Amino acid sequence: LLFDLENRRSIPLVSRAEVKAPLYVDNTLAFQCDFFMESLLRGEAVTVHEVRHRTPCPIQVAMHGAGIESFLAVPLLVEKKLLGALCVFTMDKRDFPSKQRYIMDEVASSVALALQNARLLETVSLHRTQLQEFALRLTTAEEDERQRLARELHDEAGQDLTALGINLEILKNMPSDAQRPAVAARLHDSQLLVEKITKQTRAIMTDLRPPLLDDYGLGSALRWHGENVSRRTGIPVFVEGGDIPRLSPHKEISLFRVVQEAVLNAVKHARAGQIVIRLEIVNDHLQLQVSDTGIGFSPQERICREPTTGLGLIIIRERIEAIGGHLQLESSQGKGTMVFVEVPL
């Protein structure tokens, strides 16, 4: 038997018997007898020579009903961690001599080691798959960001640079004094274009890495971001409790990106009437909450139905896990969405 201690259930791995042992039939029965589980957790074998001899427990009652009179259970232990039990049953009352106990202990040690190695291999394989998936998502996110930047530069600065080039070309072909008013107008227009391009470039640079984040910390950067989103979209964004101590640069940028992603989802998908960003220090942990009054959604359905949005939620979770934090997402149809993050200071 393998034990799932967290969920209090046992999982039959192999069974060879003339009767259906009750531990195999009822995969929760092992956890209904304190004597049985407590002994195994201490690394001690459980021996019952006559199941009706002791004060009956659920295991003994079930075994007696199956015609079993004696049994021996040896713990499967690796580094004092209980993985399961190796069990032997008999249909008659009998003792288990030391030689049989020794054989059982040796077999149990080999089985436990084999199970642990199998679990380690499975874990390594799972982590390798997760790493590959994360690398793919990271590459996709980087390419999406590059496309966004290229599109903004083309649509904003690119068009203005083209107009500036046309102005300069016209000025080059206007040498006479009679054309000076036109030249002055073109120069003024060119000057305005240069100022506009400068502002656009600074805005793109600020979106990439807000100077406020480096200079004044997360609270100031979030207030700036909220004001910026409100001005751009018309959706009120409120930042509450922004006066917090400085965190490590890695934590601050990760939390800022999480808020960016959560607010972007609220703006694009939630039809939110307002968005609230709340910061609070509780028991040496920073608690960050982003909530909206939008239409809400089912997280699992959204991930399956809309891979792009699902990718955003996955990236948020991975950012938080990378800084040792915890993420909780609550949302339902018609009741808005709340993203809750807690990270150690």
Side-chain angles (χ1 to χ4, degrees), residues 63-115:
M63 286 185 175
H64 180 65
I68 294 170
E69 291 293 341
S70 304
F71 73 90
L72 169 64
V74 179
L76 301 176
L77 288 171
V78 175
E79 298 178 351
K80 298 183 179 180
K81 180 181 179 181
L82 182 65
L83 303 183
L86 180 62
C87 305
V88 173
F89 309 90
T90 68
M91 308 297 290
D92 57 338
K93 303 179 185 66
R94 61 181 295 180
D95 195 2
F96 296 93
S98 59
K99 184 178 180 180
Q100 291 183 357
R101 292 280 302 272
Y102 174 77
I103 294 173
M104 285 282 288
D105 287 338
E106 291 298 309
V107 172
S109 296
S110 299
V111 171
L113 187 59
L115 287 173

Side-chain angles (χ1 to χ4, degrees), residues 21-279:
L23 288 178
Y24 181 84
V25 174
D26 185 344
N27 65 5
T28 65
L29 189 60
F31 291 87
Q32 296 178 22
C33 179
D34 294 337
F35 165 73
F36 183 78
M37 286 304 301
E38 287 174 1
S39 297
L40 294 177
L41 286 167
R42 289 194 302 266
E44 302 171 358
V46 178
T47 305
V48 176
H49 308 296
E50 184 178 353
V51 297
R52 290 168 293 175
H53 179 67
R54 298 187 180 189
T55 302
C57 70
I59 291 179
Q60 293 189 45
V61 172
M63 286 185 175
H64 180 65
I68 294 170
E69 291 293 341
S70 304
F71 73 90
L72 169 64
V74 179
L76 301 176
L77 288 171
V78 175
E79 298 178 351
K80 298 183 179 180
K81 180 181 179 181
L82 182 65
L83 303 183
L86 180 62
C87 305
V88 173
F89 309 90
T90 68
M91 308 297 290
D92 57 338
K93 303 179 185 66
R94 61 181 295 180
D95 195 2
F96 296 93
S98 59
K99 184 178 180 180
Q100 291 183 357
R101 292 280 302 272
Y102 174 77
I103 294 173
M104 285 282 288
D105 287 338
E106 291 298 309
V107 172
S109 296
S110 299
V111 171
L113 187 59
L115 287 173
Q116 180 71 355
N117 288 339
R119 286 184 172 183
L120 290 174
L121 286 173
E122 184 180 7
T123 300
V124 169
S125 177
L126 176 62
H127 286 175
R128 184 182 294 115
T129 301
Q130 290 176 338
L131 184 61
Q132 291 172 344
E133 292 175 351
F134 177 71
L136 178 61
R137 289 196 292 270
L138 183 61
T139 301
T140 302
E142 287 178 346
E143 289 304 315
D144 289 344
E145 186 65 13
R146 289 178 181 179
Q147 287 181 356
R148 184 184 71 81
L149 287 173
R151 187 165 52 248
E152 286 192 14
L153 288 171
H154 176 270
D155 293 345
E156 301 291 340
Q159 294 179 5
D160 292 333
L161 285 171
T162 300
L164 181 60
I166 293 172
N167 278 351
L168 295 175
E169 184 66 26
I170 292 173
L171 289 173
K172 185 175 69 175
N173 298 316
M174 298 176 66
S176 67
D177 292 341
Q179 294 174 315
R180 270 185 189 171
V183 170
R186 287 289 178 179
L187 284 173
H188 179 68
D189 185 49
S190 299
Q191 197 171 25
L192 294 177
L193 286 172
V194 169
E195 292 174 359
K196 184 179 178 183
I197 293 169
T198 301
K199 289 181 180 179
Q200 291 168 347
T201 305
R202 285 176 178 169
I204 293 173
M205 292 170 62
T206 301
D207 283 340
L208 288 174
R209 181 79 179 196
L212 280 172
L213 188 63
D214 295 322
D215 297 338
Y216 300 104
L218 182 63
S220 297
L222 291 180
R223 282 191 289 269
W224 166 83
H225 183 62
E227 293 170 359
N228 196 30
V229 172
S230 295
R231 184 171 58 253
R232 192 172 64 247
T233 65
I235 300 174
V237 180
F238 303 99
V239 179
E240 301 176 354
D243 296 328
I244 60 171
R246 294 299 302 266
L247 307 176
S248 67
H250 183 58
K251 286 183 179 179
E252 286 188 339
I253 190 62
S254 295
L255 291 169
F256 182 79
R257 296 304 182 206
V258 165
V259 172
Q260 272 188 317
E261 185 69 33
V263 170
L264 178 63
N265 285 341
V267 170
K268 290 178 61 177
H269 305 287
R271 305 176 201 163
Q274 71 174 32
I275 301 169
V276 178
I277 304 168
R278 182 175 293 109
L279 291 166

